[in-house]
Amino acid sequence: MKSLIRLLTLSAFAAFMFTACEGPMGPAGKDGTNGTNGKDGLNGQDANSFCVKCHNTANWAAKTDQYHLSKHFYGTSSARNTKYCARCHTSDGFTEVVTQGKFVVSNDIPNGVRINCKTCHAHSAFDFAEDTMAQILTQTEPVALNYNNNTTTTDYGKINNLCATCHQIRGVTSVNWTDSLGAIKTFNQLPFFPFNKAGQDDKADVKYQVGQSFAVHDGNQTNLFTGTNAYEYAGQTYTRTWKHSANDCIDCHMNQYNATTKTGGHSLIVNKDACTACHGGDKITPVQALIDAKRIELAELLTTRKVFKKATSTAGVVSYTAVPSHDFYGTLFPTTETTTKFATALASNPTVSPTTGLVVPGNKVTMAVDKDFATRIGRPWKYGELGAAYNYAYITSELSLGVHNPVYALQLLQKSIDWLKSN
Ligand code: HEC
Ligand code: HEC
Ligand code: HEC
Ligand code: HEC
Ligand code: HEC
Ligand code: HEC
């Protein structure tokens, strides 16, 4: 890039010199070559028409208009510029983790900008013979998953690696908490994912304590798409692939732009008209209806066991939340009313430092009498219950309602239901 700018400055300067001291005309020069030399690496085209295929005003305007329809463009708010959010919710944070091979950025980025053209785009090289599209992307390397700072990388395919860097299970969200006496301590309970281990016992006890969370966050599309990182029961087999497994994210999310429905292309919204060519009709709604029904069936079973509790808002929206079996310090909650105080809550009250402008995490433990005794389970959970609760969250947060892998999604939910019914 620098050398290109330098080259342009130099030739402008040289042109100025030549016109300024014009002399008598010299002898005719040799004929140039036929120009093919300049086409190396540009798929046999000259640089001018090759570059202009992308770099033309109409194309740039079209891409920009489409991109303005995307949630990437309008979605991100400043609340997500903090240390544990910025890597996926700001352009600056993404660039920092990608260029420095990190999981979290070094600090909050108060002025971080939204995801924009430059988040995803940079020229790695101009020898386009290899893979034109990958050459204009910032990140096409295999991805190290964030949820447990896993240093093993997975190659999802060049362009999928770009999406997967952000569209994956979130991971850590805070490192400190303040105890009831005001002392700041290291927080090692978040996140709390029940991934499968060798020799796993679904019937083993596990405490689900106040302050723990198995929330995967809204971005685990890559995980479901590849059928990974859910809770799988011992001795069960799961199918990880489905009809569209060989497709890339962009095959559906950047398909043909439709100006009428404003979908496809850089809007990143699926142009569903492009699906009907093969499908003839709507394949998405039936899948989503089936998965949604299974998801609710599972949540109801968990509610009956007092792993979850159910609430209905005044607007009629039903929600399920996990009910901790133990308090923050690991003491079992009783199922009847007592006057004993428990560490019942961990309030997150971050503040902004007036001197640095950075967010100071503040997770404070509350000691109180337990009012939720009627919805407590009164025993540790079983791993199989934790796994079922986690699978519910995994499918719910994923947002596609199973469309990204109907086969695996259905197996996850059905096998969770079956385990609960027989244990
Ligand atoms: C496949 C499409 C594509 C082709 C072909 C292509 N570019 Fe690009 N180029 C891009 C994209 C996308 C960007 C990033 C846009 C941005 O920086 O906002 C970019 C950025 C640039 C930039 C940096 C602009 C800036 O403001 O930082 C330069 C310079 C550039 N291209 C020159 C070229 C040249 C010279 C060629 C031909 C040898 C070329 N490009 C071919 C897509 C392409
Ligand atoms: C820098 C991180 C990052 C990258 C890279 C990224 N995304 Fe996203 N994506 C997000 C975030 C964050 C949101 C949610 C935006 C919000 O609400 O602030 C999102 C939202 C979306 C949505 C929802 C769009 C809508 O309008 O409802 C789709 C679809 C999507 N991304 C697809 C993709 C695809 C496909 C790729 C790869 C070509 C990709 N994303 C690359 C972070 C990223
Ligand atoms: C590993 C990447 C990643 C990290 C880290 C991450 N997010 Fe997200 N987040 C996403 C993606 C991807 C979506 C997009 C889901 C969609 O809308 O399609 C999202 C969606 C959201 C949404 C809902 C979408 C909306 O626009 O309302 C909220 C709220 C949110 N994130 C907050 C946070 C906060 C707060 C943090 C830090 C504690 C955080 N996220 C950290 C990837 C991430
Ligand atoms: C979320 C990541 C992402 C963002 C943000 C993004 N692009 Fe792209 N862009 C891609 C991907 C992926 C491709 C490759 C598409 C393909 O292979 O069909 C692409 C391809 C392109 C191309 C070459 C293909 C063509 O049809 O000309 C241009 C030019 C381009 N983008 C411009 C832009 C501009 C301008 C912006 C900002 C308004 C932008 N992009 C924002 C991911 C992104
Ligand atoms: C077979 C086509 C297909 C493929 C491949 C695909 N998606 Fe999707 N995706 C969909 C459909 C359909 C939806 C449902 C939303 C809708 O109805 O538009 C969806 C939903 C989403 C959403 C949630 C949008 C929202 O409502 O906020 C995100 C984010 C997303 N996809 C990202 C990805 C990523 C990342 C990949 C690659 C790992 C991917 N998708 C692969 C078809 C696809
Ligand atoms: C090249 C042909 C083709 C295109 C284009 C195509 N699909 Fe498919 N899709 C199939 C085939 C074949 C199946 C498996 C047989 C079936 O269920 O009809 C399938 C199955 C599916 C399923 C699972 C259906 C079920 O009942 O389990 C979903 C979801 C899906 N496709 C979504 C999409 C979306 C979204 C698009 C558009 C972005 C799309 N497909 C475009 C060929 C295609």
Side-chain angles (χ1 to χ4, degrees):
M1 210 18 254
K2 252 195 198 129
S3 59
L4 191 69
I5 292 169
R6 216 181 297 136
L7 210 74
L8 293 171
T9 326
L10 201 73
S11 52
F13 183 61
F16 172 73
M17 294 276 291
F18 290 141
T19 42
C21 33
E22 221 172 305
M25 192 191 276
K30 267 203 293 176
D31 281 348
T33 53
N34 61 11
T36 43
N37 296 348
K39 296 175 185 175
D40 288 353
L42 295 179
N43 300 341
Q45 298 155 51
D46 65 64
N48 204 22
S49 59
F50 190 83
C51 311
V52 169
K53 258 204 274 182
C54 288
H55 288 279
N56 67 77
T57 312
N59 191 28
W60 231 253
K63 294 290 183 294
T64 307
D65 287 349
Q66 291 164 20
Y67 190 62
H68 286 184
L69 300 165
S70 162
K71 208 169 169 184
H72 283 156
F73 175 74
Y74 67 78
T76 303
S77 76
S78 58
R80 297 158 212 169
N81 295 5
T82 49
K83 187 170 174 178
Y84 299 99
C85 319
R87 62 162 281 160
C88 303
H89 284 278
T90 69
S91 187
D92 315 57
F94 179 78
T95 309
E96 184 178 329
V97 297
V98 164
T99 54
Q100 298 178 30
K102 295 154 64 168
F103 290 104
V104 266
V105 299
S106 51
N107 222 323
D108 305 337
I109 310 179
N111 298 323
V113 295
R114 291 173 176 177
I115 302 168
N116 58 56
C117 314
K118 288 192 162 69
T119 314
C120 296
H121 287 297
H123 277 293
S124 54
F126 287 105
D127 51 338
F128 284 111
E130 280 287 307
D131 179 349
T132 305
M133 289 309 170
Q135 301 265 52
I136 60 163
L137 297 174
T138 47
Q139 150 54 9
T140 52
E141 296 301 315
V143 181
L145 292 179
N146 190 41
Y147 68 86
N148 63 352
N149 290 2
N150 186 350
T151 47
T152 321
T153 54
T154 308
D155 192 355
Y156 296 102
K158 277 193 171 156
I159 295 181
N160 292 342
N161 289 337
L162 170 70
C163 315
T165 305
C166 298
H167 287 272
Q168 54 161 303
I169 291 174
R170 177 168 65 184
V172 69
T173 53
S174 186
V175 286
N176 295 326
W177 57 278
T178 309
D179 76 9
S180 53
L181 302 172
I184 294 178
K185 299 189 173 169
T186 307
F187 196 43
N188 57 9
Q189 285 171 293
L190 270 177
F192 181 62
F193 296 140
F195 292 123
N196 306 69
K197 298 182 206 86
Q200 151 194 326
D201 180 2
D202 297 328
K203 292 182 183 168
D205 284 350
V206 58
K207 292 178 178 180
Y208 183 62
Q209 296 174 211
V210 167
Q212 289 180 334
S213 165
F214 47 78
V216 296
H217 191 55
D218 297 2
N220 57 324
Q221 288 82 21
T222 308
N223 310 82
L224 177 62
F225 192 71
T226 52
T228 48
N229 306 122
Y231 186 84
E232 297 178 1
Y233 288 89
Q236 297 289 323
T237 49
Y238 292 81
T239 315
R240 302 185 196 288
T241 53
W242 65 297
K243 188 67 209 172
H244 286 293
S245 283
N247 282 105
D248 294 329
C249 311
I250 61 164
D251 291 343
C252 298
H253 287 279
M254 295 182 92
N255 57 1
Q256 178 74 44
Y257 183 67
N258 181 330
T260 314
T261 56
K262 297 195 187 304
T263 58
H266 270 66
S267 79
L268 296 172
I269 304 166
V270 178
N271 169 4
K272 291 170 190 163
D273 295 332
C275 315
T276 45
C278 288
H279 288 165
D282 176 8
K283 284 272 175 204
I284 301 170
T285 314
V287 166
Q288 292 185 328
L290 173 69
I291 298 299
D292 199 36
K294 281 287 163 201
R295 191 178 67 95
I296 303 300
E297 186 185 339
L298 175 59
E300 286 292 332
L301 276 176
L302 289 165
T303 306
T304 311
R305 292 167 94 98
K306 297 191 173 176
V307 167
F308 277 1
K309 79 176 171 201
K310 184 180 176 175
T312 309
S313 74
T314 40
V317 180
V318 175
S319 63
Y320 299 91
T321 41
V323 188
S325 57
H326 292 69
D327 81 348
F328 186 80
Y329 297 111
T331 306
L332 182 70
F333 281 119
T335 53
T336 48
E337 195 163 15
T338 68
T339 51
T340 316
K341 286 193 172 176
F342 294 92
T344 52
L346 183 73
S348 177
N349 289 316
T351 50
V352 176
S353 160
T355 46
T356 63
L358 303 179
V359 173
V360 184
N363 294 302
K364 202 168 161 38
V365 172
T366 312
M367 296 300 292
V369 165
D370 182 34
K371 296 204 181 76
D372 287 337
F373 55 89
T375 52
R376 301 283 182 200
I377 196 166
R379 60 162 173 82
W381 287 6
K382 300 290 171 200
Y383 249 96
E385 290 170 331
L386 176 62
Y390 171 76
N391 286 345
Y392 168 83
Y394 178 100
I395 295 295
T396 305
S397 298
E398 204 271 341
L399 300 171
S400 80
L401 273 177
V403 170
H404 286 142
N405 194 333
V407 178
Y408 187 70
L410 188 59
Q411 286 179 358
L412 272 190
L413 296 171
Q414 190 60 56
K415 286 175 194 285
S416 303
I417 290 168
D418 294 346
W419 190 88
L420 290 177
K421 283 187 171 162
S422 56
N423 284 279

